[in-house]
Amino acid sequence: MSAPSLDFWFDFASTYSYPAAARIGPLAAEAGIQLRFRPFLLGPIFKAQGWDSSPFNLYPAKGRNMVRDIERLAAERDLDFALPQRFPQNSLMAARLALVGGDEGWIALFTRAVYVAEFAHGADISDRQALGPILQSLHLDSQKIFTRIEQADIKDRLKRQTAEAQARGIFGAPSFLVGDELFWGDDRLEQALAWASRG
Amino acid sequence: MSAPSLDFWFDFASTYSYPAAARIGPLAAEAGIQLRFRPFLLGPIFKAQGWDSSPFNLYPAKGRNMVRDIERLAAERDLDFALPQRFPQNSLMAARLALVGGDEGWIALFTRAVYVAEFAHGADISDRQALGPILQSLHLDSQKIFTRIEQADIKDRLKRQTAEAQARGIFGAPSFLVGDELFWGDDRLEQALAWASRG
């Protein structure tokens, strides 16, 4: 029998994916669950339902609550939190880089580092200037990787992955899939892991 | 020093208010927290942000996840769950009745009974035919109470309470207020109670 597994679907622009990314690795390892990192873009999914920005911008009361809620969550979990000045961030380049990281085995560390830069330090994560130092901090050849993500197969793969997310019923991030069972939100991480363990 | 207190803001049409209503009484009592039941209407708040129905209807993927999520939650907590055929239900009459229940001391039992009828048994809760038997099951004079809610002061009070909810930043239900600290969603009930206890 193969090890239980869980797919972690995330968008680098998503605030609640940050606390999930901060703890999913250790929690899955502890439970003996194989983790697959699946970066995708919420933008096209939001656009399909008529939203041209994050719901946290479109609905200001919801946005204010999100910030306060993550502040409380961060305090409980000993995380830092600072919303970047421009929100949501453009997550396209980070998502393409993550796909390469999936192929090359550094996606978990990269994902965590991007979320820390963005939501612990409030950094812009939209371009090479921001993402280069993150790659270098992981001892990677950033020049080579930036060239790699310009190739069509990576661009296409991200589009396909986003289409797959939408087809599988994903409407927000973070989302967790165990087979076809969908769990939405950092609040459901424990439940999703328990579901995966049960097999 | 007065006892710590928490305001429980709910709309009878709200699905996630059902599991919250099922456990908030015992949890608050255990923690020594005074509970104030604050019925309001989400409709006008949704309308103000451009929604003419529940977001679970407007965004079908979100709606499907809500049903599945509450099924899993209900299984974990040993609750029954059945979405009523018409969703969302018209909660106006139930909310007016609850205001009378607040004055007369039966709001907690009434609130719980309405949610059980609606979301454990999938009943319509929009009119006298549905709500009369609930009042009678609490040994109340339903005729007298139905006459009472036709008076202008009850109608006005519900409008004011809904306006207050909106003014205080409430955008969904259930919501919990401890002073000005707002917690949204059944998932935040424990956190809200802990906040109230801390004083």
Side-chain angles (χ1 to χ4, degrees):
Chain A
M1 216 186 83
S2 60
S5 71
L6 181 150
D7 280 12
F8 171 35
W9 290 84
F10 59 95
D11 179 323
F12 283 108
S14 149
T15 48
Y16 282 101
S17 296
Y18 159 54
R23 64 202 186 104
I24 194 168
L27 288 179
E30 210 176 291
I33 292 165
Q34 206 154 25
L35 208 55
R36 199 150 58 130
F37 283 69
R38 308 290 306 268
F40 74 111
L41 297 182
L42 274 170
I45 293 176
F46 284 173
K47 197 169 263 176
Q49 56 188 41
W51 295 346
D52 60 0
S53 181
S54 163
F56 298 130
N57 289 340
L58 298 174
Y59 308 110
K62 200 180 171 71
R64 281 189 295 273
N65 177 263
M66 175 276 288
V67 170
R68 186 68 191 122
D69 185 52
I70 297 190
E71 284 173 357
R72 289 187 301 238
L73 214 65
E76 275 187 8
R77 299 192 193 163
D78 211 11
L79 296 170
D80 291 314
F81 176 64
L83 199 67
Q85 267 201 310
R86 196 198 304 166
F87 175 79
Q89 290 275 304
N90 184 330
S91 54
L92 177 65
M93 185 177 281
R96 287 178 181 160
L97 290 172
L99 287 180
V100 178
D103 295 340
E104 300 184 353
W106 43 266
I107 190 170
L109 289 172
F110 174 76
T111 298
R112 205 164 156 162
V114 172
Y115 279 120
V116 166
E118 181 184 16
F119 292 121
H121 307 308
D124 191 300
I125 55 116
S126 62
D127 58 18
R128 289 178 185 222
Q129 211 179 332
L131 293 165
I134 291 177
L135 293 170
Q136 288 147 25
S137 75
L138 302 174
H139 307 287
L140 297 165
D141 182 342
S142 60
Q143 278 316 103
K144 204 179 119 195
I145 298 167
F146 283 129
T147 305
R148 175 76 187 93
I149 63 167
E150 290 307 316
Q151 292 177 287
D153 66 315
I154 290 291
K155 295 183 179 182
D156 288 348
R157 219 201 295 168
L158 183 58
K159 281 184 203 151
R160 283 202 310 275
Q161 192 135 299
T162 295
E164 183 187 340
Q166 189 168 17
R168 299 190 69 182
I170 289 174
F171 57 93
S175 288
F176 313 105
L177 268 170
V178 180
D180 287 331
E181 195 73 19
L182 174 64
F183 300 82
W184 170 54
D186 173 71
D187 293 324
R188 293 293 177 271
L189 177 53
E190 286 82 356
Q191 204 184 34
L193 290 166
W195 194 277
S197 293
R198 233 177 286 147
Chain B
M1 215 185 87
S2 60
S5 71
L6 180 150
D7 281 11
F8 171 36
W9 290 84
F10 58 97
D11 180 324
F12 282 107
S14 149
T15 49
Y16 283 100
S17 296
Y18 160 54
R23 66 203 186 103
I24 194 169
L27 288 178
E30 208 176 291
I33 292 164
Q34 206 155 25
L35 209 55
R36 198 151 56 131
F37 283 70
R38 309 290 307 267
F40 74 109
L41 298 181
L42 274 171
I45 293 175
F46 284 174
K47 197 169 262 178
Q49 57 188 41
W51 296 346
D52 60 0
S53 181
S54 162
F56 298 130
N57 289 340
L58 298 174
Y59 308 110
K62 198 179 173 73
R64 281 189 296 275
N65 177 262
M66 175 275 288
V67 170
R68 186 68 190 122
D69 185 50
I70 298 191
E71 284 172 357
R72 289 186 303 238
L73 214 64
E76 275 186 7
R77 298 192 193 164
D78 211 11
L79 296 170
D80 292 314
F81 176 64
L83 199 67
Q85 267 199 309
R86 196 198 303 163
F87 175 81
Q89 291 274 303
N90 184 330
S91 54
L92 177 64
M93 186 176 282
R96 287 179 181 161
L97 290 172
L99 287 180
V100 178
D103 294 341
E104 300 184 353
W106 45 265
I107 191 170
L109 288 171
F110 174 77
T111 298
R112 203 160 158 167
V114 171
Y115 279 120
V116 166
E118 182 183 16
F119 292 121
H121 306 309
D124 191 299
I125 55 116
S126 62
D127 58 17
R128 289 179 184 221
Q129 213 179 330
L131 295 165
I134 291 177
L135 293 170
Q136 288 147 25
S137 75
L138 302 174
H139 308 286
L140 297 165
D141 182 343
S142 59
Q143 279 314 106
K144 205 179 118 194
I145 298 166
F146 283 130
T147 306
R148 175 77 187 94
I149 63 166
E150 290 306 318
Q151 292 177 284
D153 65 314
I154 290 292
K155 295 182 179 182
D156 288 347
R157 218 201 294 170
L158 184 59
K159 281 183 204 151
R160 283 201 309 276
Q161 192 136 297
T162 294
E164 184 187 339
Q166 190 169 15
R168 300 190 69 181
I170 289 174
F171 57 93
S175 288
F176 313 105
L177 269 170
V178 179
D180 287 332
E181 195 75 20
L182 175 64
F183 300 82
W184 170 53
D186 173 72
D187 294 324
R188 293 293 177 271
L189 177 53
E190 285 82 357
Q191 206 184 35
L193 290 166
W195 195 276
S197 292
R198 235 176 285 148

